[in-house]
C-alpha cells in the first residue's frame, strides 16, 4: 500500500512539472493559476499522507490484534449470618474388634500406664470406664470432643472478581476461546483457607470460584472446530465452558455461560465435546446433541507414583447434553452423564485446622499450642476409590418478547458405593475405624477400615424461578430444594456460604437488578438457607439430619450449619 501511495504522489508531481511550462508559455504573467495549482498539489499530498497513516494502522491491526479481549469486573459486599453452627465430632469404631484384640494383649497391659492401651485409657477416662464395664460392643460412635454451638455473624465481607474473555478466529471454521479469572477477598491473597467445610477446600474444579488471591487463573481455554468436512459435526477440546449454565445464568444477569445444566454441573474440568447440529435435519431451531467426555482427577502423575503405592484411580466423566429446543423463547435441555471411579477427595491445598490437629495429630498439636494463631498448610490427596456416580436432569425456560423469564429444572443423582472409606467416609457413607498400633508399637491409632454401607443412594433436586421487568431494571425470585442424597457437581458456584444449588434442604433467593447503563448494573440480593442434612456439596460421608446433630444424637467431623442468610450488594461492569 505504501508503494501505491508513493506512485500516486510521484505522478501528481510529474503532472505538475509538465503542466508548469505550458502554463508559463501560455500565460507567463498568470501567477494566480500557478498559486492555485500549488495549493491543489499540497492538498492532495496531505490527503495521501492521511490515507497512508490509516492504512498502516489497519495493517498493524490485522497483523497483531489476533485476539479480542472483553471482560467483566464485579465488586460485592456481603453480610453473612449463620445460626446454630454445631461441631459434634465423632467417628464410628468397631469396638467388638477392639475388645477382642485388647483381651488378646495386642495393645499391651491396660494396668501398665506406659503401654499403648494404658496411655489410651489414661487419656480417655470415659472410654476406660465404658470399656471396663463392658458397655462397648459392635460399631459405636467414639466421641472426639465436646459439642459446641454458636451463632456466627460476619457483618461485612468484601470481594472482587475480574474475568477476562479471550477470543480468536483461527480459520473460517476454527475459533479459540478462553477466560482468565481473578477472585479475591479484600485484604487477603493467601490463596489457602482453613479447612472448616468442603466449601473451603480449593481444588482444580473450583479454583475459579474460591477466593484465592490477586492472580489470574485459566478458568477456560478451548477451541471449536465447526462444520467438519462440510457436515454439521463440531469438535471442541480444552478446559471446558462448564460453569454458569442454564438456568443459573439468570441470577448472574448474563447470557448462557456454560453448556451443561447449571442445576447439575457448575464445575471446571478438562475434556472434549463432539456435537451435531441436529436442527438442520429435524427443522427444530437450535436443536443440538452433544457427547461430552472429561477427566476430573489425575491419580498418578504428581502423587508420588514412583514409590509404587498409589491406590487411587483417574476419575473420568462422560455423557450426553441435548438442547431439544432453543428458539429464543423456549429452551428445553436434557442431561445425562456418569462419573466413574470417584475418589474420597481431590488433590488440593488447605490450612489444617487446629481443632482437628488436637484429635488426629496430638504430638504436632503440642507444638501448635505454642502458636495458636498458626496453621500448617498441607497438600492433600484422596486415599482411594469410593464408587461411581450418575446424574440426569431436564430443564425448561420460557422468555417472552417483553423480557419476562420463567424456568424450572429437575435433577437426579445416584451413587454406587464400593464399600471403601477414607477418614471422612465413603460414597455417601461413614467410615468404620479400627484400632491399630503405630509403626513403632507405642501408640494406638484409629484407621478407617471400611464404609458402614455400600448401598446405592438416589437423590433429587428441584430448581424454579422467574425474572420480570421492574422499574429501572428487573426483579428475580428463585427457590431450590435438595433431598438427603442430592449430590450435584456445582461446587464452583461462588456463593460464599456454599453452592446454593448443592444444598440438602431449602434455599430462597430474591434479587433486584438496577441497570445503570447497557454495560453496568447494580444487584441487591438476599439468600436464605435452611439445611436439612449435612454434607451439602460433597459425596463423601453419610448425610445426617441437622436436627439430630443439634440434639447430640448424630455427629460430624466438620461444623454443621442449621440456617444461614446472605444479604449482598454488587456492582458489575462489562467491557
Amino acid at each position: 500500500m505504501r508503494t501505491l501511495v508513493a506512485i500516486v504522489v510521484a505522478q501528481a508531481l510529474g503532472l505538475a512539472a509538465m503542466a508548469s511550462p505550458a502554463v508559463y508559455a501560455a500565460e507567463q504573467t498568470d501567477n494566480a493559476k500557478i498559486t492555485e495549482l500549488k495549493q491543489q498539489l499540497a492538498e492532495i499530498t496531505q490527503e495521501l499522507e492521511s490515507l497512508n497513516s490509516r492504512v498502516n494502522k489497519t495493517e498493524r491491526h490485522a497483523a497483531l490484534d489476533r485476539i479480542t479481549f472483553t471482560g467483566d469486573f464485579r465488586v460485592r459486599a456481603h453480610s453473612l449470618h449463620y445460626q446454630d453452627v454445631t461441631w459434634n465430632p465423632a467417628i464410628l469404631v468397631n469396638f467388638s474388634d477392639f475388645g477382642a484384640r485388647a483381651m488378646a494383649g495386642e495393645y499391651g497391659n491396660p494396668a501398665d500406664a506406659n503401654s499403648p492401651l494404658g496411655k489410651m485409657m489414661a487419656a480417655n477416662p470415659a472410654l476406660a470406664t465404658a470399656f471396663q464395664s463392658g458397655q462397648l460392643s459392635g460399631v459405636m460412635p467414639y466421641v472426639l470432643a465436646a459439642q459446641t454451638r454458636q451463632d456466627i455473624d460476619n457483618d461485612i465481607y468484601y470481594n472482587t472478581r475480574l474475568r477476562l474473555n479471550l477470543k480468536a478466529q483461527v480459520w473460517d471454521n476454527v475459533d479459540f476461546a478462553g477466560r482468565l479469572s481473578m477472585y479475591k477477598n479484600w485484604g487477603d491473597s493467601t490463596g489457602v483457607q482453613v479447612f472448616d467445610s468442603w466449601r473451603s477446600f480449593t481444588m482444580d474444579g473450583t479454583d475459579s470460584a474460591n477466593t484465592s488471591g490477586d492472580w489470574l487463573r485459566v478458568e477456560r481455554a478451548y477451541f471449536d472446530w465447526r462444520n467438519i468436512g462440510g457436515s454439521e459435526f463440531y469438535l471442541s477440546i480444552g478446559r471446558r465452558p462448564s460453569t454458569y449454565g442454564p438456568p443459573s445464568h439468570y441470577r448472574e444477569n448474563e447470557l448462557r455461560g456454560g453448556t451443561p445444566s447449571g442445576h447439575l454441573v457448575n464445575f471446571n474440568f478438562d475434556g472434549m465435546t463432539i456435537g451435531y447440529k441436529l436442527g438442520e435435519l429435524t427443522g427444530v431451531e437450535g436443536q443440538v446433541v452433544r457427547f461430552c467426555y472429561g477427566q476430573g482427577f489425575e491419580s498418578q502423575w504428581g502423587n508420588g507414583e514412583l514409590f509404587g503405592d498409589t491406590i487411587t484411580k483417574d476419575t473420568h466423566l462422560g455423557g450426553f447434553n441435548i438442547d431439544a429446543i432453543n428458539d429464543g423463547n423456549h429452551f428445553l435441555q436434557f442431561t445425562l452423564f456418569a462419573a466413574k471411579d470417584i475418589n474420597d477427595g481431590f488433590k488440593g491445598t488447605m490450612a489444617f485446622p487446629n481443632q482437628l490437629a488436637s484429635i488426629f495429630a496430638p504430638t504436632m498439636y503440642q507444638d501448635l499450642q505454642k502458636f495458636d494463631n498458626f496453621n500448617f498448610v498441607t497438600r492433600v490427596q484422596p486415599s482411594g476409590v469410593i464408587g461411581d456416580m450418575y446424574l440426569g436432569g431436564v430443564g425448561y425456560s420460557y422468555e417472552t418478547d417483553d423480557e419476562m423469564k420463567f424456568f424450572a429444572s429437575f435433577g437426579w443423582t445416584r451413587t454406587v458405593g464400593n464399600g471403601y472409606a477414607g477418614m471422612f467416609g465413603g460414597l455417601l457413607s461413614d467410615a468404620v475405624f479400627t484400632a491399630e498400633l503405630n509403626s513403632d508399637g507405642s501408640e494406638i491409632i484409629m484407621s478407617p477400615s471400611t464404609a458402614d454401607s455400600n448401598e446405592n443412594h438416589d437423590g433429587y433436586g428441584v430448581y424454579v424461578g422467574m425474572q420480570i421487568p421492574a422499574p429501572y431494571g428487573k426483579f428475580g425470585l428463585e427457590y431450590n430444594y435438595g433431598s438427603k442424597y442430592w449430590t450435584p457437581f456445582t461446587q464452583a458456584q461462588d456463593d460464599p456460604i456454599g453452592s446454593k444449588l448443592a444444598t440438602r434442604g431449602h434455599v430462597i433467593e430474591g434479587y433486584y437488578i438496577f441497570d445503570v447503563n447497557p454495560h453496568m448494573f447494580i444487584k441487591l440480593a438476599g439468600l436464605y438457607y435452611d439445611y436439612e442434612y449435612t454434607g451439602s456439596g460433597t459425596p463423601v460421608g453419610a448425610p445426617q439430619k441437622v436436627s439430630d446433630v443439634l440434639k447430640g444424637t448424630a455427629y460430624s467431623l466438620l461444623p454443621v450449619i442449621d440456617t444461614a442468610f446472605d444479604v449482598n450488594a454488587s456492582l458489575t461492569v462489562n467491557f
Side-chain angles (χ1 to χ4, degrees):
M1 190 66 191
R2 290 182 178 178
T3 303
L4 177 60
V5 172
I7 291 173
V8 172
V9 172
Q11 289 178 341
L13 292 172
L15 289 174
M18 289 185 293
S20 294
V23 171
Y24 284 124
E27 302 179 32
Q28 294 185 5
T29 60
D30 196 349
N31 294 328
K33 288 186 177 182
I34 296 175
T35 302
E36 181 181 359
L37 183 58
K38 290 182 179 179
Q39 180 64 32
Q40 290 176 355
L41 182 59
E43 291 175 356
I44 291 174
T45 302
Q46 184 178 1
E47 184 175 350
L48 289 174
E49 288 177 351
S50 176
L51 176 61
N52 187 40
S53 175
R54 292 199 301 270
V55 169
N56 284 342
K57 291 180 180 179
T58 302
E59 289 175 344
R60 286 181 58 82
H61 178 80
L64 301 178
D65 298 348
R66 295 179 179 273
I67 298 179
T68 301
F69 283 89
T70 59
D72 61 79
F73 178 80
R74 185 190 72 191
V75 290
R76 190 162 63 178
H78 297 266
S79 184
L80 306 175
H81 304 273
Y82 308 80
Q83 288 80 43
D84 290 326
V85 179
T86 304
W87 190 46
N88 195 25
I91 57 176
L92 294 177
V93 174
N94 187 339
F95 280 108
S96 294
D97 176 76
F98 175 78
R101 296 169 74 172
M103 294 298 293
E106 185 172 334
Y107 307 132
N109 185 353
D112 181 0
N114 294 318
S115 72
L117 185 57
K119 293 178 183 176
M120 183 179 183
M121 294 303 173
N124 300 273
L127 176 67
T129 301
F131 178 70
Q132 292 167 359
S133 61
Q135 297 177 3
L136 301 180
S137 64
V139 176
M140 297 177 60
Y142 175 28
V143 178
L144 301 173
Q147 185 192 87
T148 63
R149 186 189 304 182
Q150 59 186 321
D151 293 342
I152 298 173
D153 297 306
N154 187 344
D155 293 324
I156 190 66
Y157 160 59
Y158 298 104
N159 57 58
T160 297
R161 186 188 72 184
L162 170 66
R163 301 188 302 189
L164 298 177
N165 302 309
L166 296 78
K167 287 189 177 182
Q169 185 170 349
V170 180
W171 199 246
D172 292 340
N173 63 338
V174 180
D175 295 325
F176 168 82
R179 183 153 79 188
L180 309 178
S181 298
M182 180 204 76
Y183 188 31
K184 73 179 299 292
N185 305 323
W186 285 20
D188 174 22
S189 284
T190 58
V192 179
Q193 299 183 52
V194 174
F195 184 52
D196 59 4
S197 67
W198 289 103
R199 177 208 57 76
S200 64
F201 179 58
T202 301
M203 54 190 176
D204 181 65
T206 64
D207 274 347
S208 63
N210 267 333
T211 51
S212 53
D214 55 353
W215 57 82
L216 290 171
R217 296 181 180 272
V218 180
E219 180 185 351
R220 300 176 178 182
Y222 60 95
F223 73 84
D224 288 326
W225 180 13
R226 306 179 308 277
N227 303 119
I228 300 175
S231 71
E232 297 301 327
F233 280 101
Y234 72 90
L235 172 69
S236 182
I237 301 177
R239 191 155 175 81
R240 310 305 303 146
S242 53
T243 54
Y244 303 101
S248 66
H249 64 295
Y250 290 126
R251 65 193 292 255
E252 302 293 329
N253 196 34
E254 60 187 25
L255 299 176
R256 177 182 181 179
T259 299
S261 162
H263 188 197
L264 285 168
V265 179
N266 197 320
F267 195 86
N268 298 116
F269 71 93
D270 306 292
M272 62 183 292
T273 295
I274 300 174
Y276 187 84
K277 296 179 181 179
L278 198 61
E280 300 298 324
L281 293 179
T282 63
V284 178
E285 186 175 351
Q287 193 171 78
V288 180
V289 59
R290 310 173 185 85
F291 172 75
C292 303
Y293 162 79
Q295 183 171 341
F297 177 75
E298 166 56 43
S299 63
Q300 292 175 273
W301 185 265
N303 276 356
E305 64 177 307
L306 297 184
F307 289 110
D309 57 359
T310 299
I311 59 174
T312 54
K313 292 183 179 180
D314 294 351
T315 300
H316 295 279
L317 318 170
F320 291 90
N321 187 271
I322 302 171
D323 291 353
I325 304 173
N326 188 8
D327 62 7
N329 293 113
H330 303 272
F331 177 77
L332 178 64
Q333 183 184 66
F334 297 94
T335 303
L336 181 65
F337 73 96
K340 305 295 288 185
D341 295 326
I342 297 290
N343 297 274
D344 63 323
F346 293 85
K347 297 178 184 177
T349 306
M350 67 181 184
F352 200 78
N354 288 347
Q355 291 84 348
L356 292 182
S358 66
I359 297 171
F360 295 105
T363 302
M364 182 177 291
Y365 184 63
Q366 298 302 314
D367 289 331
L368 289 175
Q369 290 181 74
K370 303 172 186 175
F371 307 96
D372 57 3
N373 60 334
F374 282 31
N375 296 91
F376 64 88
V377 176
T378 181
R379 177 192 184 277
V380 294
Q381 62 193 56
S383 63
V385 179
I386 57 178
D388 303 325
M389 287 182 59
Y390 301 88
L391 298 89
V394 55
Y396 172 75
S397 60
Y398 174 64
E399 299 185 18
T400 68
D401 293 335
D402 55 355
E403 299 298 319
M404 298 183 69
K405 302 165 186 176
F406 306 90
F407 67 84
S409 179
F410 176 81
W412 160 83
T413 63
R414 167 173 286 186
T415 57
V416 181
N418 60 11
Y420 178 84
M423 184 177 77
F424 285 93
L427 192 56
L428 295 185
S429 57
D430 281 332
V432 176
F433 288 73
T434 58
E436 307 282 352
L437 290 175
N438 64 354
S439 59
D440 63 4
S442 62
E443 181 184 0
I444 296 175
I445 59 175
M446 294 295 179
S447 300
S449 60
T450 185
D452 67 343
S453 170
N454 61 355
E455 296 180 2
N456 299 345
H457 295 294
D458 291 299
Y460 70 90
V462 178
Y463 181 29
V464 296
M466 68 172 190
Q467 188 182 92
I468 60 175
Y472 306 106
K474 60 201 75 171
F475 169 76
L477 187 63
E478 299 185 0
Y479 166 79
N480 62 274
Y481 173 78
S483 68
K484 178 178 181 179
Y485 295 111
W486 170 241
T487 314
F489 284 175
T490 61
Q491 294 89 340
Q493 202 167 31
D494 65 0
D495 304 312
I497 290 177
S499 167
K500 77 165 194 170
L501 294 179
T503 300
R504 293 171 181 157
H506 308 267
V507 180
I508 298 175
E509 178 180 13
Y511 60 84
Y512 204 112
I513 295 173
F514 296 90
D515 294 319
V516 179
N517 59 52
H519 302 288
M520 182 176 178
F521 66 89
I522 296 171
K523 179 181 176 183
L524 305 179
L527 293 89
Y528 177 76
Y529 296 72
D530 183 4
Y531 293 95
E532 289 189 347
Y533 294 92
T534 63
S536 295
T538 175
V540 181
Q544 307 292 336
K545 291 193 70 171
V546 172
S547 58
D548 289 341
V549 176
L550 267 62
K551 289 186 295 186
T553 58
Y555 305 90
S556 174
L557 284 178
L558 294 174
V560 173
I561 303 170
D562 182 17
T563 60
F565 63 93
D566 170 9
V567 178
N568 62 80
S570 62
L571 188 149
T572 302
V573 178
N574 297 298
F575 54 88

